[in-house]
Amino acid sequence: MKLATLKNGARDGRLVVVSKDLTRATDAASVAPTLQAALDDWEHMAPRLQLLAEQVELGSVPTFRFHEHECESPLPRAYQWADGSAYINHVELVRKARGAEVPESFYDDPLMYQGGSDAFLGPRDAIPLGDVAWGCDMEGEVAVITDDVPMGVSEADAASHIKLVMLCNDVSLRGLIPGELAKGFGFFQSKPPSAFTPVAVTPDELGEAWKDNVIHLPLHVDYNGQPFGRAEAGVDATFSLARLVAHAAKTRPLTAGTVIGSGTVSNKDADGGAGKPVAEGGLGYSCIAEIRMIETIADGAPKTPFMKPGDTVRMEMLDKAGHSIFGAIEQTVEAVS
Amino acid sequence: MKLATLKNGARDGRLVVVSKDLTRATDAASVAPTLQAALDDWEHMAPRLQLLAEQVELGSVPTFRFHEHECESPLPRAYQWADGSAYINHVELVRKARGAEVPESFYDDPLMYQGGSDAFLGPRDAIPLGDVAWGCDMEGEVAVITDDVPMGVSEADAASHIKLVMLCNDVSLRGLIPGELAKGFGFFQSKPPSAFTPVAVTPDELGEAWKDNVIHLPLHVDYNGQPFGRAEAGVDATFSLARLVAHAAKTRPLTAGTVIGSGTVSNKDADGGAGKPVAEGGLGYSCIAEIRMIETIADGAPKTPFMKPGDTVRMEMLDKAGHSIFGAIEQTVEAVS
C-alpha cells in the first residue's frame, strides 16, 4: 500500500491512503489519524490500512484527487532519524578528494550519524538557507521506516521491521561540515532538516525491485531542471537497509517510527572509475559534493558551486513501467535572514 | 509548576501536575493528556496547568499520592535530544588524560551532539547493558525542554524558549566511543537511551537558583550508595543553557519538546586543579570517566571500573532548604542478552 500525510495545519498532518498510480486518495482517519499513530500499533493498523488501499483500487470507497504538493513528509516530525552510508563509493570520493584513505573497517562496519528529526521539510517545501557560504547541498537517498525494533536485532530479523520505504533529500551544509567534524562530535548545524517523498510505500509495492533489502532501481535526481543523477540504488550498496537497522539497534531498541537512511546513493562507473556526469553518458551524482570531488580529482579544484537561493532539486524513482513510485521531492532553496 | 508523566502502558504516559513538595499530584488530562501535547500548544496550556498547580497547593482539586517510581521520564519519547558541553572542565579532563590540547575555539563555540530521543529510560528504569566491555558510564547533567524555537534565535531570545528544567543521566558506553569517534560521524551506538528526573519544573520554581540560564545548586550524584559527586552546576559553566539552545537553532528551527542538555556537570578544585573525590573533601564527579582520568593523571592508569550489572546510580538536586526539586533518578545496571 501507499501512504501519505496531507498538510492540515496540525503538526502531524492527516494520514491518507493513496492509489498505486498516485492520482487518488482516501482519508485514513477511520483507522489512524496520523502515520505515527498507525506505526504505534502497526500490527493492528496495517491490515486495516491495506484493506482501505484495496478499496481505493476497486473504487469502493470515496476518494479525492491526490496532489503531491499538498503533502507533508510522511512523518512530518519523527522520534528518530539515523542516516547510514551504504554507498561507500560516496565515502571513497569524499576522502579521495582530500587525499585520505578509506579505513578497511568502513567496508564491514557502517558509518551512521544521528540526525535531527523534529521538523522535517515537506517534499515541496523550500529549503531555508541562512547564508550561501554554508554550502547548501542536496543528497538523494533511500529511507525506511521501522516499527519497534528490539536491541541487538540480527540483520535477518531487522528486515521484518522495515515497514515503509521512501526517498530522502538529506540537506547538508558542506561549508559547516569540516569545522564541525573537527570538533569530534559529528554533524549538528551542518545537517538542517531533511525532506522525504510525498508517499511512503510498503516494500511489497516495489515488487522484484525490492531484493535483499535494497531497491534495485535508478534514483532520478534533477538539478535546476537538468538530469543530474541516475545512480542505481541496487548497485554498489555495501550495506542493505536491514543491515543499517541492525547497526542502529546494536546497543538500544528503536521506537516505532524510526527513520533509517541509506546515505547518498552513489555508483562507480562501469570501468570501476569515479562516475561520469549524466551529460557525458555517466550515471551522474545524487549530491553536488560528488561532482565537485570529480572536478577536484580531474582539475585540482571544484567548479560546480553549491546551491544558492532559487536553485531547484527534484528526486524521484520510477518503476519499470515508468510510473513514479513515491511521487517527487521538488524543492527550491530560499534565503532566510 | 512541577510536571511529571506517569506510566500508564501508553507510549507517552499520562501528564500530572505535582505539588511543590513532590508528595501529591493531580491528573492534567482536563488540560492535556501528555506533556508533548501541552508543549505543542504551550502558550495556551501553560496558564491552565499553572492554575491546576495552584489548586494542588491549595488542596482545591482532588489529588493522589505521588510516587517517583511510577514515573516515565517527563517526555518518554521526544522529537529531539541535543546534548552540549557547557562544563569545559569535563572536556579538559578527558583530553588531558590522553595528552591532547583543548582547542581555543571550544571556549566560545559549544560542542554539541545529536542524541537519540525515541526511547528515553524512566527515572527508575534499569539501564540495559549488552556487554560489560562496552564500558557503561553515567553522566549527570542539567537539561531543559523548549517550545518552538525559530532558526537563528539569539542567546537572549533563546532564554524565553526554555519552558521546563530537569536533570539527566546521559548513559554513555565509553568502550565504544573511541572507535565511533574515529569514524568521524560522532556518537551513535555509544549513546544508548538517557533517563531524566521524575519531575520537570518551570524555571520560576528554581527561584534565585536559576540565574543567567544556569542552575546555581550542587548536583548530587551517588554511586552504589556512596556520595560520588557534589559538583556545583552554577560554577565553571562556560555556556548557559540559553546559549546551547541558540547554538542548536543556528541553521534550523527547533520543534516544541526539544530537549537540550548541559553536558556533564564538572568543576575544577578551588585551587584550579583537577577536582578531588568527595571522600577527600572535593566536589567529586558526575561521571566515572572523570575519576578515571584523575586516576590516570595521578597514577598513569585508571582504577575505578565502569558500571557492571547491579551497580546503582542516584542523581538529585536539593533546594537551599534541602528539599528535592526534581525527584531522583535511581537506576541499576541490568545485563541483557
Side-chain angles (χ1 to χ4, degrees):
Chain A
M1 64 184 157
K2 299 192 172 195
L3 301 175
T5 296
L6 296 184
K7 296 190 180 213
N8 69 345
R11 290 176 186 269
D12 297 303
R14 163 189 168 214
L15 181 63
V16 297
V17 176
V18 184
S19 63
K20 288 179 190 293
D21 64 3
L22 309 185
T23 61
R24 305 198 65 78
T26 196
D27 199 283
S30 62
V31 180
T34 67
L35 181 54
Q36 184 63 51
L39 288 159
D40 281 350
D41 190 16
W42 190 251
E43 199 184 337
H44 293 100
M45 299 297 185
R48 297 170 60 191
L49 293 169
Q50 180 59 41
L51 185 61
L52 217 43
E54 288 160 17
Q55 291 169 333
V56 167
E57 297 305 321
L58 289 170
S60 60
V61 285
T63 60
F64 49 85
R65 188 78 178 84
F66 176 69
H67 296 292
E68 296 180 24
H69 66 262
E70 292 174 354
C71 288
E72 301 273 11
S73 279
L75 288 171
R77 53 180 178 174
Y79 292 103
Q80 179 156 245
W81 159 234
D83 199 9
S85 57
Y87 300 88
I88 300 287
N89 188 53
H90 175 73
V91 182
E92 287 173 348
L93 275 175
V94 181
R95 301 233 162 190
K96 196 167 178 181
R98 60 172 204 253
E101 290 284 303
V102 175
E104 200 55 44
S105 66
F106 281 24
Y107 297 91
D108 51 45
D109 180 31
L111 279 172
M112 182 170 278
Y113 73 89
Q114 189 91 47
S117 58
D118 61 313
F120 291 139
L121 302 175
R124 305 295 168 98
D125 290 355
I127 299 170
L129 180 62
D131 187 340
V132 173
W134 290 349
C136 184
D137 200 358
M138 58 200 182
E139 291 193 48
E141 310 192 355
V142 177
V144 297
I145 304 177
T146 72
D147 64 355
D148 290 302
V149 181
M151 174 172 161
V153 71
S154 68
E155 178 175 349
D157 289 346
S160 68
H161 293 285
I162 294 176
K163 298 306 179 187
L164 293 165
V165 185
M166 54 195 178
L167 304 179
C168 174
N169 177 17
D170 178 44
V171 181
S172 295
L173 300 174
R174 302 287 184 191
L176 302 181
I177 288 178
E180 213 156 42
L181 294 196
K183 289 160 73 179
F185 274 22
F187 309 106
F188 193 93
Q189 294 177 337
S190 51
K191 291 284 185 180
S194 296
F196 297 84
T197 40
V199 174
V201 312
T202 46
D204 61 283
E205 290 288 344
L206 297 164
E208 292 182 359
W210 182 251
K211 203 169 61 185
D212 299 331
N213 299 292
V214 168
I215 304 185
H216 294 260
L217 286 170
L219 174 63
H220 289 237
V221 178
D222 289 357
Y223 183 47
N224 289 331
Q226 300 296 317
F228 188 82
R230 296 292 182 266
E232 291 285 346
V235 175
D236 296 328
T238 308
F239 305 110
S240 74
L241 285 149
R243 175 63 195 281
L244 295 178
V245 170
H247 182 85
K250 182 185 171 186
T251 60
R252 48 167 159 147
L254 311 178
T255 291
T258 287
V259 185
I260 302 283
S262 67
T264 308
V265 178
S266 179
N267 293 162
K268 291 185 193 299
D269 254 4
D271 63 3
K276 280 196 269 299
V278 173
E280 297 174 20
L283 295 173
Y285 317 100
S286 306
C287 69
I288 294 172
E290 283 196 18
I291 193 167
R292 287 169 59 88
M293 293 167 216
I294 300 288
E295 291 162 353
T296 301
I297 292 164
D299 308 321
K303 64 173 192 264
T304 305
F306 288 117
M307 299 172 88
K308 60 185 184 307
D311 284 336
T312 62
V313 56
R314 185 173 202 278
M315 296 179 179
E316 191 172 29
M317 200 171 255
L318 308 179
D319 65 19
K320 295 291 185 195
H323 298 129
S324 183
I325 299 172
F326 308 99
I329 295 171
E330 278 184 13
Q331 299 186 275
T332 303
V333 176
E334 190 175 278
V336 298
S337 58
Chain B
M1 65 184 158
K2 300 194 173 193
L3 302 175
T5 297
L6 296 184
K7 296 191 181 214
N8 69 346
R11 291 176 185 267
D12 297 304
R14 163 189 169 213
L15 181 64
V16 298
V17 176
V18 184
S19 62
K20 289 179 190 292
D21 65 2
L22 308 185
T23 61
R24 305 198 65 77
T26 195
D27 198 283
S30 62
V31 180
T34 67
L35 181 53
Q36 183 63 51
L39 289 159
D40 281 349
D41 189 18
W42 189 251
E43 199 184 337
H44 294 100
M45 299 296 185
R48 297 170 61 192
L49 292 169
Q50 180 59 42
L51 184 62
L52 217 43
E54 288 159 17
Q55 291 169 333
V56 167
E57 296 305 320
L58 289 171
S60 60
V61 285
T63 61
F64 49 86
R65 188 81 177 84
F66 176 69
H67 296 291
E68 296 179 24
H69 67 261
E70 293 173 355
C71 288
E72 301 274 11
S73 281
L75 287 171
R77 53 180 178 173
Y79 293 105
Q80 180 156 245
W81 159 235
D83 199 9
S85 56
Y87 301 87
I88 300 286
N89 189 52
H90 174 73
V91 181
E92 287 173 348
L93 274 175
V94 181
R95 300 232 163 191
K96 196 168 177 179
R98 58 171 205 252
E101 291 284 303
V102 176
E104 200 56 43
S105 66
F106 281 23
Y107 296 91
D108 52 44
D109 179 30
L111 278 173
M112 181 170 281
Y113 73 89
Q114 188 90 48
S117 57
D118 61 313
F120 292 140
L121 301 174
R124 304 295 167 98
D125 290 354
I127 299 170
L129 181 61
D131 187 340
V132 174
W134 291 350
C136 184
D137 199 359
M138 58 199 181
E139 291 191 50
E141 310 193 355
V142 177
V144 297
I145 304 178
T146 72
D147 64 355
D148 290 302
V149 181
M151 174 171 161
V153 73
S154 68
E155 178 174 350
D157 289 345
S160 68
H161 293 285
I162 294 175
K163 298 306 178 187
L164 293 166
V165 185
M166 53 194 178
L167 305 180
C168 174
N169 177 17
D170 178 44
V171 180
S172 296
L173 300 175
R174 302 286 183 191
L176 301 183
I177 288 179
E180 213 157 39
L181 294 195
K183 289 162 72 178
F185 273 22
F187 308 107
F188 193 92
Q189 293 176 338
S190 50
K191 289 284 186 180
S194 296
F196 298 83
T197 40
V199 174
V201 313
T202 46
D204 61 283
E205 290 288 343
L206 297 164
E208 292 182 358
W210 182 250
K211 204 170 61 185
D212 300 330
N213 300 292
V214 167
I215 305 184
H216 294 259
L217 287 170
L219 174 63
H220 290 237
V221 178
D222 288 357
Y223 183 46
N224 288 331
Q226 298 298 315
F228 188 82
R230 295 294 182 267
E232 292 284 347
V235 175
D236 297 329
T238 308
F239 305 110
S240 74
L241 284 148
R243 175 65 195 279
L244 295 179
V245 170
H247 182 86
K250 182 184 172 187
T251 60
R252 49 168 160 148
L254 311 179
T255 291
T258 287
V259 186
I260 303 282
S262 69
T264 308
V265 178
S266 179
N267 292 163
K268 291 184 192 300
D269 254 4
D271 63 4
K276 280 197 268 296
V278 174
E280 296 173 21
L283 295 173
Y285 317 100
S286 305
C287 70
I288 294 171
E290 284 196 17
I291 193 166
R292 289 170 57 90
M293 293 168 216
I294 301 288
E295 291 163 352
T296 301
I297 293 164
D299 308 320
K303 64 172 191 263
T304 305
F306 287 117
M307 300 172 86
K308 61 185 184 308
D311 283 336
T312 63
V313 55
R314 186 173 201 280
M315 296 180 178
E316 192 172 28
M317 199 171 256
L318 308 178
D319 64 19
K320 295 290 187 197
H323 299 131
S324 183
I325 300 171
F326 308 99
I329 294 170
E330 277 184 14
Q331 298 187 275
T332 303
V333 176
E334 190 176 278
V336 297
S337 57

